[in-house]
Amino acid sequence: MPSPTREKSSHPDSGAQELRTTRLWESIPGLSYGGDYNPEQWSKDIHVEDIELMQQAGVNALSVGIFSWSWLEPFEGQYDFDWLDEIMDNLASAGIKVALATATAAPPAWLVHKHPEILPVTAEGIVLGPGSRRHYSPSSSVYRRYAAGITRTLAERYKDHPALALWHVDNELGCHVSEFHGPEDTAAFRAWLGRRYGTIEALNAAWGTAFWSQRYGSFEEVRTPGPAPSTLNPTQQLDFARFSSWALIDFYSMLVSVIREVTPDIPATTNFMATSATKALDYFNWAKHMDVVANDHYLVAADPERHIELAFSADLTRGIASGKPWMLMEHSTSAVNWQPRNTPKLPGEMQRNSLAHVSRGADAVMFFQWRQSRAGSEKFHSAMVPHGGTNTRIWREVVDLGAALQAMSPVQGSLVESRTAIIFDYESWWASELDSHPSADVKYLDLLRAFHRALFLRGITADFVHPSANLDGYDLILACTLYSVNDADAANIAAAATRGATVLVTYFSGIVDENDAVRLGGYPGAFRDLLGINVEEFHPLPEGGAASVDAGWSGRIWSEHVHLAGAEALASFTEYPLEGVPALTRNATGAGSAWYLATFPDAEALDGIVETLLEESGVAAPAVAASGVELTRRRAADGTGYLFAVNHGTSDAAVAASGRDLISGTPFAGVLAAGAVAVIAEA
Ligand code: GLA
C-alpha cells in the first residue's frame, strides 16, 4: 500500500477496534506461528508431548476448539470444560497464546435431533444433514440462540484466562454452503430487501420487473431465486448474492456482540477464504467487522504456477485488510485431502509459501493443523506433526520455519509497498457472470489474474482494492471486467487518472449500474468520458476463436465495435466486420491517462501492454533480480526496508540487493540459492 494512513476504518467502533488489534499484536511477540489444535482427538500423554514439540518448533499461537461443541456440551446444558481448562492452562504455562473458537462451526448431534429446522436447505429444497460439519443456516433463529449460548458460556469461562489472545469466530463462514433457502432464510431475505428498498415500488424499479410481468405487490411475494422454467431476474439473483454474503456477516456480528459484552478488549476474527475460488462472500464488506483480517489459503497441487495463485490470494487479503498486517490462519505443511490427487509439497515449498505470505503482509503463519488426525475424513491431510512423527521431512521443515520466523521478528508490523492497484469488486464478479450475457466465456477473474501474473513476473506488487478505495498514491490502476459500478466509484477511478495515474479499463466494464441496469448512450456508460471512446455493439468471439490485431497480436473471447471520441487508437482489429476498429486506445486526461482494451490479448501482447503501462506510470520492481525470483518489499515505521526474495527456480539466481539476510543472519551476497528465500534488511 502506498501509505499506511491511506485507509480510515469506517467501523463505528474504530477506536476500540484499533486498540484491540494493537493488543493482539502486542500479546504475541514477533510473528505468530502455529495452527489449529484439536486436542480432543488425542489422549493426555499426547497432550504432554504436544507442548514439548510446540516449544521445539517455536509455536506461539494456536486456534483451539473450532469443532469442539459436542465435547464441551455433550448433552444439552451439561458442560465438560475440564479437558479444555487443562489445555488452556498448559498452553499458558508454555507461553503459547490461543485464538479460542466459538465452537459453532459444527452443531452437536443432540441439537440437530431436537431442532432439525436449523439445517441448511438448498435452492432445490434439499435439506443438508448432519454427520459432517457446517450443517446450519445462519438465519435460523433457533441456531442463533444456541450458538450465542455456547459462545457466551465459553467467553464467561475463559474471559480472564492468560492464554486467551483472540476469538476465532465459527470457522470459514460460507464454506461448503453459502446460500440458504429455508423458510427462515426466505423471511430474512424479504426483511433485507425491505431495508434496502423501503417500498415494494422501489424494488420493482430496481429489479426492472416491467420485464416478463415480474411485478411484485408486496415483499411477501418475493422468493429466494430457485428452480424456474427459464432465466431468473438478474437483479433478484444479484440481491440474493448480496443478501447471502450479508446473512453470514450478520451471524458473525451476532456472535461478536456476545463476545464484546463479556470480553470487550479481546479482539475477534474469523478465517476468510479469500482466494480465486471463493466468489460468494464480499470480504471487503466483511473486513469492517473484523479486528484483524485472517485468511486461509491452500495451493492447488496440480497448478504449475501455484505460487502465483498464492500471491494473488495474499494480495487480495492485504487489500481486504486495507494494507494492514493480516493473519495467515491456515495453510498446509504438505498435501491436502480434498483434491483429486493430493501430491505433497516439494522440499522447501512450505517455507517458500509461508514466507511469500509474510512478504505480502501476513504477520502470522498458521497451519491446518498441529497434529495429523488418525481418524475422520481429514486423516490424510498433512499437518505440522505428521503420522510419521518427528523423524520426517515435514517436521524438520516445521522446526526450520519456526526458527526463520523468529529471526524475522523485526518484520512484524511493517507494511507492504505498492504503487499499483487492481480494482477488485465482488459485486462485479457476481453480476458479470450471471446468465444471458453476450458471452459465457467472460469470467470475472481471468483478466485480473492475467494482469496480476504479468506484474508478478516483473516483480511488481499489486494491491487488490475495492472501487471505492482511496486511490491516492497509486500510479498504475487496472480496472478489469468491472462490469457493474456506481457513479461515485466510477468518478473515483476517473479522478485518479485526472490526478496523474495511468488507468487501464478492460472490456465489459462500466456497463451497468448497481442494479444491473444498462447505462445507456453507448458502452461503457460509466467510463465513456474517461476513456474517450464509445462502444456501439459487442462482438464476442466464437468458442476458441481469435481476433487479429494490426499490432501483430491477436485477442480472444471478446471484440467489439469501438468508436474513438477523443482517444487515440494504439492497435486495431483487422478482420471483417471490425477491420480498422480500435482494440487498444489511450486517452490523455488531466495529468494522467486512461487506456482501454477491447479484447483479451494473447500472453505476449498482454506482457507488452503491461511493460508499456509500467513505463508510462514509472512503476518499477523493488530490485533487479534474475527471472523466477519473486520480489516484494515491506517497510517498517522506522523506515527500514525488508526486501523479500523467493527463488522459485531450480538454479541459483542473482538479486541486486545489499543488507543483512535475517534468515541466514549474514550479509546478503547477491546470489539466492535455488528454492531459497532471503529477507534482506536493507542498509
Ligand atoms: C479448511 C478448514 C479446516 C480444514 C482445512 C483442510 O480450511 O477450515 O478445518 O478442513 O480446510 O484443508
Side-chain angles (χ1 to χ4, degrees):
M1 293 272 161
S3 134
T5 52
R6 220 170 47 77
E7 287 286 340
K8 289 264 176 270
S9 170
S10 55
H11 196 269
D13 170 36
S14 63
Q17 191 179 36
E18 246 171 75
L19 280 177
R20 284 191 296 269
T21 311
T22 309
R23 190 188 150 125
L24 167 71
W25 295 122
E26 282 174 2
S27 72
I28 307 175
L31 301 167
S32 308
Y33 185 44
D36 287 10
Y37 185 35
N38 297 304
E40 63 270 39
Q41 295 176 19
W42 300 98
S43 57
K44 282 198 182 183
D45 53 323
I46 299 282
H47 295 165
V48 173
E49 187 190 79
D50 282 339
I51 299 279
E52 280 166 30
L53 294 181
M54 285 169 187
Q55 289 187 316
Q56 254 185 54
V59 164
N60 58 8
L62 295 168
S63 290
V64 179
I66 295 176
F67 299 106
S68 302
W69 193 343
S70 68
W71 293 88
L72 294 168
E73 190 181 1
F75 302 95
E76 184 171 1
Q78 292 180 30
Y79 297 97
D80 177 6
F81 283 115
D82 292 353
W83 66 271
L84 186 55
D85 289 352
E86 198 175 325
I87 294 288
M88 292 288 281
D89 291 351
N90 291 344
L91 292 174
S93 309
I96 298 170
K97 293 292 179 186
V98 169
L100 189 59
T102 56
T104 48
W110 55 258
L111 176 51
V112 179
H113 186 66
K114 185 171 173 187
H115 289 292
E117 69 273 24
I118 69 168
L119 294 170
V121 180
T122 68
E124 293 74 27
I126 296 166
V127 177
L128 304 176
S132 175
R133 64 174 174 184
R134 305 216 53 76
H135 43 285
Y136 70 85
S137 155
S139 300
S140 157
S141 48
V142 169
Y143 192 64
R144 290 167 77 97
R145 180 156 49 81
Y146 277 90
I150 185 68
T151 299
R152 185 178 297 279
T153 306
L154 276 160
E156 292 287 358
R157 186 161 191 99
Y158 296 104
K159 61 177 187 240
D160 298 320
H161 200 286
L164 177 65
L166 178 66
W167 287 107
H168 180 116
V169 176
D170 206 275
N171 190 64
E172 288 194 344
L173 286 148
C175 182
H176 310 313
V177 48
S178 57
E179 294 189 343
F180 303 83
H181 297 261
E184 284 192 282
D185 307 304
T186 304
F189 182 42
R190 289 174 183 153
W192 182 90
L193 290 169
R195 290 192 297 276
R196 181 173 175 88
Y197 292 110
T199 64
I200 197 68
E201 288 73 27
L203 178 145
N204 280 311
W207 286 18
T209 55
F211 178 79
W212 280 359
S213 187
Q214 289 170 352
R215 183 178 180 282
Y216 293 99
S218 77
F219 287 104
E220 286 308 297
E221 295 169 7
V222 181
R223 298 179 178 208
T224 63
S230 182
T231 47
L232 286 163
N233 182 300
T235 320
Q236 178 189 13
Q237 296 184 66
L238 181 58
D239 271 346
F240 188 64
R242 288 176 173 134
F243 160 76
S244 297
S245 178
W246 171 85
L248 286 156
I249 300 177
D250 186 57
F251 180 73
Y252 170 83
S253 300
M254 183 274 295
L255 293 181
V256 170
S257 67
V258 172
I259 285 167
R260 288 276 178 274
E261 282 174 32
V262 187
T263 57
D265 301 331
I266 304 285
T269 191
T270 189
N271 41 347
F272 288 171
M273 303 165 284
T275 70
S276 52
T278 304
K279 179 178 173 185
L281 307 161
D282 186 340
Y283 286 132
F284 284 100
N285 252 335
W286 279 66
K288 298 177 204 140
H289 304 265
M290 314 274 291
D291 291 326
V292 60
V293 166
N295 199 46
D296 296 349
H297 180 264
Y298 290 94
L299 296 176
V300 174
D303 178 359
E305 292 196 337
R306 50 193 182 271
H307 59 294
I308 304 184
E309 196 278 332
L310 181 156
F312 181 98
S313 166
D315 289 342
L316 176 57
T317 307
R318 184 180 65 257
I320 289 165
S322 297
K324 295 184 208 119
W326 50 277
M327 302 182 76
L328 177 64
M329 194 62 106
E330 287 180 24
H331 68 153
S332 67
T333 56
S334 191
V336 299
N337 64 302
W338 43 265
Q339 291 172 17
R341 280 156 292 276
N342 297 298
T343 52
K345 287 192 179 177
L346 298 170
E349 190 172 1
M350 179 186 81
Q351 193 193 59
R352 288 194 292 282
N353 294 165
S354 299
L355 301 193
H357 281 293
V358 175
S359 80
R360 293 173 189 276
D363 272 3
V365 174
M366 319 258 296
F367 292 95
F368 174 82
Q369 60 177 325
W370 164 251
R371 189 180 278 275
Q372 187 168 13
S373 300
R374 276 193 75 191
S377 57
E378 293 186 319
K379 58 184 172 296
F380 295 119
H381 192 296
S382 61
M384 297 172 84
V385 184
H387 287 155
T390 52
N391 189 15
T392 52
R393 174 179 73 89
I394 288 183
W395 176 251
R396 283 186 285 275
E397 291 197 13
V398 162
V399 173
D400 287 351
L401 176 59
L405 291 170
Q406 226 153 41
M408 287 162 57
S409 299
V411 166
Q412 199 237 316
S414 60
L415 300 174
V416 175
E417 285 189 340
S418 162
R419 291 167 57 204
T420 303
I422 302 178
I423 307 286
F424 196 102
D425 181 32
Y426 285 96
E427 297 208 355
S428 274
W429 190 353
W430 300 335
S432 65
E433 293 184 0
L434 289 171
D435 55 82
S436 317
H437 276 191
S439 171
D441 296 330
V442 174
K443 298 286 179 221
Y444 177 71
L445 289 186
D446 284 356
L447 274 167
L448 281 98
R449 289 194 65 180
F451 275 103
H452 179 266
R453 176 182 182 277
L455 291 164
F456 175 98
L457 293 175
R458 283 160 185 74
I460 309 294
T461 306
D463 293 339
F464 286 105
V465 301
H466 189 264
S468 63
N470 181 347
L471 298 172
D472 291 352
Y474 290 115
D475 298 312
L476 176 59
I477 298 164
L478 309 180
C480 305
T481 326
L482 191 63
Y483 166 72
S484 152
V485 66
N486 65 30
D487 293 348
D489 294 351
N492 186 39
I493 293 166
T498 312
R499 185 256 303 150
T502 294
V503 174
L504 173 81
V505 177
T506 72
Y507 63 84
F508 217 44
S509 295
I511 305 298
V512 298
D513 65 13
E514 58 272 39
N515 294 324
D516 200 29
V518 171
R519 293 171 174 278
L520 301 178
Y523 312 120
F527 297 120
R528 253 186 346 244
D529 292 346
L530 167 69
L531 298 166
I533 57 154
N534 188 328
V535 176
E536 182 181 333
E537 194 175 11
F538 303 138
H539 290 238
L541 299 172
E543 194 176 1
S548 71
V549 168
D550 59 5
W553 48 272
S554 65
R556 55 196 179 86
I557 296 176
W558 195 264
S559 64
E560 57 188 7
H561 199 151
V562 180
H563 296 284
L564 297 177
E568 55 170 327
L570 302 175
S572 300
F573 296 112
T574 59
E575 285 163 38
Y576 179 80
L578 295 182
E579 64 272 40
V581 167
L584 177 67
T585 65
R586 180 181 182 280
N587 193 31
T589 166
S593 67
W595 296 59
Y596 184 66
L597 181 58
T599 186
F600 197 133
D602 59 45
E604 210 180 307
L606 193 132
D607 282 346
I609 292 168
V610 166
E611 298 273 357
T612 314
L613 295 172
L614 290 172
E615 213 170 291
E616 183 182 286
S617 59
V619 171
V624 176
S627 77
V629 177
E630 175 180 354
L631 290 173
T632 39
R633 182 183 283 118
R634 291 182 63 162
R635 194 169 293 284
D638 69 3
T640 309
Y642 296 102
L643 182 75
F644 284 71
V646 184
N647 187 354
H648 295 283
T650 48
S651 46
D652 297 357
V655 180
S658 63
R660 210 170 79 88
D661 173 13
L662 297 183
I663 299 182
S664 66
T666 57
F668 181 67
V671 177
L672 190 57
V677 185
V679 181
I680 303 158
E682 293 167 317

